[in-house]
Amino acid sequence: MPFPNIDQPETIEIEPGLRLKRFDWNIDKMLEGYHDPVVYQNSEGIFDEDKIPDADYIKSMCRYLDGVGEMYFIQVLENSEYVSVGDVTVKPENPPIAIWVEKYRGAGIGAKVMKTVIGRLSALGYKKITGSTVYKWNVASQKMHERLGFTRVGENDKDYIYEYVIKE
């Protein structure tokens, strides 16, 4: 349980047709998504095709994320049925978001999800998001962070590092 004495919601409605669904270990769609070069490069920093995430990599990543935060699938309503198109983990340090399905990238879903992460952390009593790292080549994610009010507080050879002060 990542947040002691706090039950993780089964779903968090973001808007009609867009929600977060509690992670249930069904990684088939996730594995397919992490085989997309845009995802494994921008999310995992992997450029070597011999190191593309396999099922063991995804399971290990999910064990970690599910243990340190509230992990969710990002779901959209398609033909009267919710389908998973990405994942997010609500946590106060470096909350990761990945949109696996190409047609949903650049549509504002990442920003809506990050706003939901901020709202959930605020409800849990957190005042700040720290260490939100974005690869320097991931310009779309940099722009999203900056549009939402994150402040760039540092960098290293690969990443920009952002923080966000949660307003009451």
Side-chain angles (χ1 to χ4, degrees), residues 9 23 29 88 93 95 143 154:
F23 177 69
K29 183 85 172 171
V88 61
E93 183 180 346
K143 288 179 179 179

Side-chain angles (χ1 to χ4, degrees), residues 134-139 142 155-160:
V134 178
Y135 290 115
K136 289 182 175 180
W137 57 83
N138 189 348
V139 175
Q142 292 167 34
E155 68 179 276
N156 58 40
D157 60 330
K158 297 185 315 190
D159 307 305
Y160 291 120

Side-chain angles (χ1 to χ4, degrees), residues 59-102:
K59 287 176 187 173
S60 176
M61 177 183 77
C62 292
R63 269 192 300 277
Y64 170 74
L65 291 172
D66 198 46
V68 297
E70 293 178 346
M71 191 168 175
Y72 294 94
F73 289 124
I74 301 165
Q75 295 188 322
V76 298
L77 190 61
E78 284 186 355
N79 302 319
S80 304
E81 185 178 326
Y82 277 98
V83 295
S84 297
V85 299
D87 66 275
V88 61
T89 302
V90 175
K91 61 189 193 89
E93 183 180 346
N94 196 20
I97 297 173
I99 308 293
W100 322 317
V101 179
E102 182 178 9

Side-chain angles (χ1 to χ4, degrees), residues 27-62 65 87 98 100 135:
I27 66 163
D28 292 341
K29 183 85 172 171
M30 189 176 198
L31 182 59
E32 180 185 324
Y34 276 86
H35 280 190
D36 181 326
V38 172
V39 177
Y40 64 73
Q41 290 171 4
N42 288 333
S43 173
E44 304 305 300
I46 295 171
F47 284 85
D48 183 344
E49 290 187 14
D50 292 333
K51 295 182 180 179
I52 294 172
D54 60 10
D56 289 337
Y57 182 102
I58 298 295
K59 287 176 187 173
S60 176
M61 177 183 77
C62 292
L65 291 172
D87 66 275
W100 322 317
Y135 290 115

Side-chain angles (χ1 to χ4, degrees), residues 2-3 8 12 20 65 68-72 88-96 113 116-122 124 126:
F3 300 112
Q8 179 177 347
I12 298 175
L20 302 181
L65 291 172
V68 297
E70 293 178 346
M71 191 168 175
Y72 294 94
V88 61
T89 302
V90 175
K91 61 189 193 89
E93 183 180 346
N94 196 20
V113 169
T116 302
V117 168
I118 292 165
R120 178 70 177 146
L121 288 170
S122 178
L124 293 170
Y126 288 90

